[in-house]
Amino acid sequence: MTEFSNKEGGAVILKIAPPVARIEIDRPAKSNAFTLDMWETLPKLIDNACAADGVRVIIFTGGTPGIFSAGADIGELLAMADNRELIERHQSAVFAAREAVLHAPLPTIARIDGDCMGGGLLIAAACDFRLARDDVRFGLPPARLGLGYAPKDVAILCALISFARAKRMLLTARPISSNEASDWGLCDLFADTSALDDAVSKLVDDLVAVSAQSQADIKQSFAQLLANESLEDTHARAALEAAYAGDDFREGMQAFLEKRRPQF
C-alpha cells in the first residue's frame, strides 16, 4: 500500500512491507521541507501504518538518498504570515504530526541519512529511536527566524539531551555536528549508508522479537510523562501567532530567503 500527499508540491509516502512500514519524506528539490499539505498528511499515514496487517515498526526516512528534512517550508510560512486562519491551520498540523509520531503504538525509528533541521528534527525527536549517518547535521533554527518553540517540543528535546544542551541548540540556533549529537545522546551514529541500514535492520529484528502489546503499553507510559497541562500547546499557539505578526519573523524569513545574516 502506498499513499501520497500533493505530488506536485511534495509528498509523504507510505510503503508497507511487513513487518516494516516506511514513511518517506519526498520533496528533494526543497531538501524535503514540509508543506502544510505534507504536515496534514502525516498523521493519516501513521494511522494507516499502525492499522496494516503484520506491521510492527514504522521507519521515517527521506525519499531520496542523502536527504532527511530541512523542516518546514520557509517560503510557505512567509506567504501565510498575514493569514491568521492559515497560521492556525499550520500550527495545528505541525502539533498533530508531532502527536501522531509520539503516540503511535508501534515502535518508531528515524533513519537519518541527511541533514535534520527544524520540523524534521521535531519529527525525529518524537520517534523512539534516531539512527544517523556520521556526516549529517542537526539544527533548530526558530530563533534565527523570529519564532519560538512549543513547551512540549522543548520537553521532548530536554528528555533526550538535557536542559543545558537544549538551551544551547535553541537559544543559539547553531546546527550541531553528528558527533556532537551522538555525544549528547540525540542519536546513534553509523559510518555510512550501508552501516546505517544494517543498524536499522538489526534494530527492527530486536523490536519484532518481543511483545507488540508490551511495547504499546510501555510507549503509553512514556507518553504519559509528557501529559502535563503546562506542556499543552495553548500558550505556544498564542506566542506563535504573535511572532508571525512581528518584525523579527519578517526579518528572519527574509534573511533566510536572501541567504544573509538577519538583523534583529
Side-chain angles (χ1 to χ4, degrees):
M1 175 170 58
T2 301
E3 300 191 19
F4 293 82
S5 70
N6 184 327
K7 296 179 185 179
E8 294 182 1
V12 187
I13 305 169
L14 173 62
K15 296 180 177 178
I16 294 179
V20 170
R22 288 172 62 96
I23 294 180
E24 297 183 354
I25 312 162
D26 190 35
R27 197 184 177 209
K30 294 290 186 178
S31 300
N32 289 349
F34 276 83
T35 63
L36 173 58
D37 178 69
M38 292 165 70
W39 285 120
E40 290 181 334
T41 298
L42 190 57
K44 303 170 189 175
L45 299 190
I46 293 171
D47 287 345
N48 289 345
C50 291
D53 290 340
V55 170
R56 292 288 310 276
V57 179
I58 302 174
I59 297 174
F60 295 85
T61 188
T64 300
I67 305 174
F68 186 72
S69 177
D73 184 305
I74 301 301
E76 184 182 68
L77 289 179
L78 188 59
M80 66 174 61
D82 294 324
N83 187 322
R84 182 169 181 175
E85 182 179 343
L86 273 180
I87 289 172
E88 291 179 351
R89 181 179 160 191
H90 189 273
Q91 291 174 215
S92 294
V94 174
F95 292 149
R98 174 246 283 155
E99 290 299 293
V101 178
L102 195 63
H103 292 282
L106 300 178
T108 53
I109 301 171
R111 175 192 172 277
I112 303 166
D113 73 337
D115 287 354
C116 182
M117 301 290 177
L121 183 49
L122 178 147
I123 295 299
C127 287
D128 299 312
F129 306 95
R130 286 149 299 282
L131 277 60
R133 219 174 53 197
D134 68 358
D135 59 351
V136 303
R137 297 180 306 153
F138 297 80
L140 292 167
R144 288 189 185 277
L145 304 174
L147 296 173
Y149 207 62
K152 193 162 189 178
D153 296 321
V154 172
I156 293 168
L157 189 63
C158 288
L160 295 174
I161 64 173
S162 83
F163 271 71
R165 287 164 174 163
K167 284 182 178 180
R168 180 175 169 184
M169 284 195 77
L170 285 164
L171 296 181
T172 68
R174 182 184 70 82
I176 63 172
S177 70
S178 55
N179 286 329
E180 286 177 291
S182 178
D183 289 343
W184 291 4
L186 183 57
C187 64
D188 295 320
L189 288 190
F190 301 92
D192 53 29
T193 300
S194 176
L196 172 62
D197 287 337
D198 287 346
V200 170
S201 295
K202 177 61 169 63
L203 179 54
V204 169
D205 289 343
D206 290 343
L207 290 169
V208 302
V210 298
S211 164
Q213 185 58 57
S214 292
Q215 289 171 334
D217 292 343
I218 291 166
K219 287 198 60 174
Q220 180 61 28
S221 294
F222 276 107
Q224 285 179 349
L225 292 176
L226 292 171
N228 183 311
E229 184 176 352
S230 66
L231 300 181
E232 293 304 315
D233 295 317
T234 304
H235 299 300
R237 288 175 184 274
L240 282 168
E241 287 177 13
Y244 279 120
D247 292 337
D248 281 0
F249 168 77
R250 297 183 185 282
E251 168 59 14
M253 291 296 181
Q254 283 299 134
F256 177 89
L257 294 174
E258 295 169 7
K259 301 186 186 304
R260 59 174 174 81
R261 182 182 293 274
Q263 301 296 316
F264 293 124

